Amino acid sequence: MITNLHVKNLALIEEADISFRSGLNILTGETGAGKSILMGSIDLALGRKMSADMIRSRAEYALVELVFEISDPVIIKRLTELGAEPEDGVLVLSRKITEGRSLCRLNGETCTASRLRQISPLLLDIHGQHDHQSLLYAERQLAILDAYGKDTLAPFLSETEKAYDALKRAEKEKKVYQVDERERQRELALLEFEIREIEESAVRPGEDEELETEYRRMSCSRTVLEALQRIRNLTGDDGAGDAVGRAIREMDGIVKLDTLLEGPAETLFQIEDLLADFNRDLAACSEEFLYDRETFAMTENRLNRLNELKARYGRTLEDILSYLEKQKERRDQYEQFDENREKAEKAFREAEEDLDRAAEKLTAARKKIAAELAEKISAELEDLNFLSAAFEIGFSGRMVCGRDGRDEISFMIAPNPGEPLRPLSKIASGGELSRIMLAIKTLLADKDSTETLLFDEIDTGVSGRTAQKVAEKMMRIGGSRQVLCITHLAQLAAMADHHFLITKGAEAGNTHTVIEELNEEGSVEELARILGGAEITEAVRENAAEMKALARKMKKE
């Protein structure tokens, strides 16, 4: 769960530090006070995009830090697999935004925003103000069904995906043979030409590297030989060798006069030997750089030929040989064209049948899950003041089967007794969609290990008794996991285990947002503000206090 949120220099928030706890955390405040900015800061810490315009005026940067306390071993294991292992059960996500860049950190180590987005579904589930509108789209409805039945449907989905991929491979193979006889002959002639050209070139792996080394040596041989000759002139009989010889003759005349001269004489003899060895080695090296014009031309022509083949058939000689094998296989295919075409068409038909069978099994499994989900959604809707509402999930088939099967589904509802079932998109109001999404979120939350749910104005379009039902539902969810919820409803705010007030003020010409946790008295006063509007009377305060008392009683029960 989220234990702490620290925000600095983000829009109207100069600096805020909020400690959240388990249960139902409610955030209230006047419209425009900065509630959505606060929720947006959580989005920011989770790696989602945000404009640099959100940096507070005259501030150099914006910073968001989000601290999670994780105890579920399943979540810890999955995070560890993604390279985000919590330290002592704690995971710290932070993001710093400047004019030109964004710096993300995970437990103090720099990471990418995409990495934060990758792990965020394991940490919390966010329902924004407009998410309920996604219920109107068939693909979203199918995703909800698959998410609810993921454990049961996983093998069927996997089988369908594999069958679909196999069909695409068979389709690609079949297309190879969808050519007329003239085109086949033209393709066969090209294949024969390419195969012959490569085979006649007798390409050998590593040959180009050997030739390039030899070519570089031959290319610089003249320069090297001229330099070696100059060196031999300087160190040979007409150069240093002659001078050392004269020095030795001089030394022979005096070395017997004093034993002190024996050491230098020995060194001089060694110099003569070294010069002789050096010149012999130099002569041997010179032999290695002697090439005739014909050898040089042959090497150059061979290199040019290999480079021509690389330009046509592959970056390396190994690539060329691999290309040769592929072209031989294609030649065999074209030489046995009719037989191979029949095989490819048969394989394609079998792949189609395999996909149809896999899709049928997936549909059957989905229908069982759909019946269960519809029944549970109906029960949840009754809790949310849909009295005697009927809810079903309708199925229809797409003409073309995809990796996710052939199913198109439609959430159907009859909000009132006696009304026919119709698609959500035809009849559901904003308030009804909000409650249906809440029902679905409740059911999906029970299916995974996500410890935190975040609702940004889930109460859109509801009031009165319906609002009370929504509040009771949120209270029950908060009994088993952490919930963060922005609301304008007094009924929902009264259920808070922890109540936070967001206000906007001005100081020294600057507008800023302040967040504070309310005690019991402060929470009653905020409820009175929500109930009473501009004027808060004692009667309104008494009403607010009664709401809090009833909420406490309901939570105990």
Side-chain angles (χ1 to χ4, degrees):
M1 68 176 185
I2 298 176
T3 58
N4 184 264
L5 171 64
H6 181 77
V7 184
K8 187 172 183 178
N9 298 331
L10 189 66
L12 295 177
I13 301 175
E14 184 174 359
E15 188 160 17
D17 195 85
I18 313 171
S19 294
F20 294 110
R21 282 165 281 172
S22 60
L24 182 57
N25 296 262
I26 294 293
L27 298 98
T28 60
E30 293 280 6
T31 299
K35 300 186 297 299
S36 293
I37 294 172
L38 192 65
M39 291 299 100
S41 68
I42 293 178
D43 269 347
L44 184 63
L46 294 172
R48 293 173 176 85
K49 291 183 179 181
M50 191 201 77
S51 170
D53 295 341
M54 291 296 287
I55 299 174
R56 184 174 171 80
S57 178
R58 292 189 292 278
E60 294 181 358
Y61 67 91
L63 174 69
V64 180
E65 187 175 77
L66 202 53
V67 182
F68 288 88
E69 191 176 274
I70 303 163
S71 57
D72 190 323
V74 175
I75 296 296
I76 291 175
K77 180 175 181 292
R78 291 170 68 186
L79 286 169
T80 302
E81 290 170 352
L82 293 172
E85 183 178 5
E87 295 179 2
D88 298 323
V90 174
L91 198 65
V92 181
L93 282 62
S94 69
R95 194 167 179 197
K96 187 176 182 179
I97 304 288
T98 61
E99 286 288 343
R101 61 193 295 264
S102 165
L103 179 64
C104 303
R105 294 186 185 276
L106 185 59
N107 273 355
E109 294 186 3
T110 304
C111 67
T112 61
S114 62
R115 179 93 173 280
L116 298 180
R117 290 194 295 272
Q118 185 182 27
I119 67 172
S120 65
L122 298 173
L123 303 174
L124 77 166
D125 183 12
I126 300 177
H127 177 76
Q129 292 184 39
H130 307 294
D131 282 358
H132 58 274
Q133 295 292 332
S134 66
L135 278 176
L136 302 178
Y137 301 105
E139 59 271 20
R140 175 61 175 154
Q141 295 174 4
L142 184 63
I144 288 169
L145 175 62
D146 287 348
Y148 176 79
K150 61 182 179 180
D151 294 335
T152 301
L153 297 176
F156 298 102
L157 279 165
S158 177
E159 183 181 354
T160 303
E161 289 169 359
K162 289 177 182 176
Y164 177 83
D165 292 341
L167 176 64
K168 287 300 172 184
R169 288 193 297 272
E171 184 179 28
K172 184 178 180 181
E173 181 68 16
K174 189 180 109 171
K175 285 182 179 178
V176 172
Y177 300 99
Q178 292 177 341
V179 295
D180 58 29
E181 181 61 21
R182 179 180 295 179
E183 187 176 346
R184 182 179 80 89
Q185 292 295 338
R186 187 164 54 247
E187 184 69 18
L188 192 57
L190 176 61
L191 289 168
E192 290 284 5
F193 171 80
E194 291 182 340
I195 291 168
R196 185 169 59 255
E197 182 176 42
I198 297 173
E199 286 184 335
E200 289 177 353
S201 297
V203 172
R204 176 172 56 83
E207 180 187 5
D208 53 342
E209 295 175 0
E210 295 171 8
L211 289 172
E212 283 169 4
T213 300
E214 194 68 16
Y215 181 77
R216 281 195 298 272
R217 181 176 290 173
M218 286 191 288
S219 296
C220 64
S221 62
R222 176 181 234 172
T223 302
V224 172
L225 286 171
E226 289 175 352
L228 289 177
Q229 185 58 50
R230 288 194 296 273
I231 294 169
R232 290 176 68 182
N233 292 338
L234 292 170
T235 60
D237 293 342
D238 296 328
D242 180 58
V244 170
R246 291 198 304 272
I248 288 174
R249 287 193 294 274
E250 290 291 341
M251 183 63 77
D252 281 340
I254 61 173
V255 70
K256 296 177 182 178
L257 300 177
D258 196 311
T259 56
L260 286 175
L261 298 174
E262 291 177 356
E266 181 63 29
T267 301
L268 194 56
F269 294 145
Q270 290 176 358
I271 291 172
E272 183 183 41
D273 291 340
L274 285 172
L275 271 174
D277 291 342
F278 173 76
N279 278 286
R280 279 193 295 272
D281 291 343
L282 214 60
C285 285
S286 298
E287 293 292 329
E288 292 296 320
F289 285 90
L290 291 174
Y291 298 100
D292 58 61
R293 292 180 179 275
E294 185 179 353
T295 302
F296 182 80
M298 288 174 61
T299 303
E300 186 176 40
N301 291 337
R302 180 60 176 170
L303 269 177
N304 289 338
R305 180 58 177 158
L306 293 180
N307 287 329
E308 287 174 4
L309 293 174
K310 286 180 185 179
R312 293 179 193 169
Y313 305 122
R315 190 172 55 86
T316 66
L317 298 187
E318 288 78 6
D319 291 342
I320 293 171
L321 292 173
S322 176
Y323 181 82
L324 172 63
E325 293 306 313
K326 289 179 182 177
Q327 297 306 80
K328 284 181 177 180
E329 290 176 7
R330 289 189 65 195
R331 180 184 62 184
D332 293 342
Q333 289 176 335
Y334 276 98
E335 286 179 342
Q336 302 171 9
F337 189 81
D338 293 336
E339 181 183 346
N340 288 329
R341 179 170 58 190
E342 288 178 9
K343 287 181 181 179
E345 289 175 350
K346 181 182 178 184
F348 179 76
R349 289 193 299 271
E350 289 175 351
E352 279 187 317
E353 292 168 1
D354 289 343
L355 179 57
D356 285 339
R357 281 192 293 270
E360 285 173 7
K361 287 191 284 185
L362 175 59
T363 297
R366 275 176 172 157
K367 285 182 176 178
K368 290 180 181 178
I369 295 296
E372 178 187 329
L373 178 59
E375 183 179 346
K376 290 192 175 182
I377 289 177
S378 296
E380 293 288 335
L381 292 180
E382 189 170 345
D383 285 345
L384 292 167
N385 211 32
F386 277 92
L387 302 178
S388 301
F391 187 91
E392 289 184 10
I393 299 177
F395 276 75
S396 60
R398 296 195 297 260
M399 291 295 294
V400 179
C401 188
R403 294 185 87 244
D404 60 348
R406 185 173 272 114
D407 301 319
E408 279 191 356
I409 69 169
S410 177
F411 286 177
M412 313 281 287
I413 190 170
N416 304 302
E419 291 183 351
L421 285 161
R422 289 178 12 189
L424 287 183
S425 58
K426 301 295 183 182
I427 58 172
S429 65
E432 287 170 334
L433 286 174
S434 295
R435 283 182 285 160
I436 294 168
M437 180 59 89
L438 177 57
I440 290 168
K441 286 281 185 179
T442 303
L443 294 171
L444 292 181
D446 292 338
K447 285 286 182 178
D448 59 36
S449 305
T450 306
E451 296 181 359
T452 300
L453 300 176
L454 192 156
F455 294 97
D456 186 1
E457 299 188 13
I458 189 66
D459 48 39
T460 300
V462 299
S463 59
R465 178 61 182 158
T466 299
Q468 182 61 31
K469 288 289 187 179
V470 170
E472 291 171 10
K473 174 64 67 178
M474 296 293 283
M475 176 200 70
R476 284 194 286 274
I477 299 173
S480 59
R481 62 193 64 234
Q482 184 188 48
V483 176
L484 276 59
C485 179
I486 291 177
T487 185
H488 291 289
L489 288 179
Q491 295 94 325
L492 184 48
M495 293 290 183
D497 296 314
H498 315 287
H499 192 166
F500 298 87
L501 175 62
I502 303 173
T503 56
K504 183 169 66 174
E507 185 177 338
N510 292 322
T511 304
H512 59 274
T513 291
V514 177
I515 301 104
E516 61 175 320
E517 184 174 1
L518 302 175
N519 56 21
E520 184 73 11
E521 183 179 347
S523 183
V524 170
E525 188 68 18
E526 171 62 5
L527 287 178
R529 182 197 65 78
I530 296 172
L531 291 168
E535 185 176 354
I536 303 175
T537 65
E538 283 305 313
V540 172
R541 287 191 175 91
E542 289 174 7
N543 188 12
E546 185 179 8
M547 287 183 73
K548 279 298 277 188
L550 288 172
R552 280 196 303 272
K553 181 181 177 182
M554 186 175 293
K555 284 191 277 188
K556 286 179 181 178
E557 293 174 351

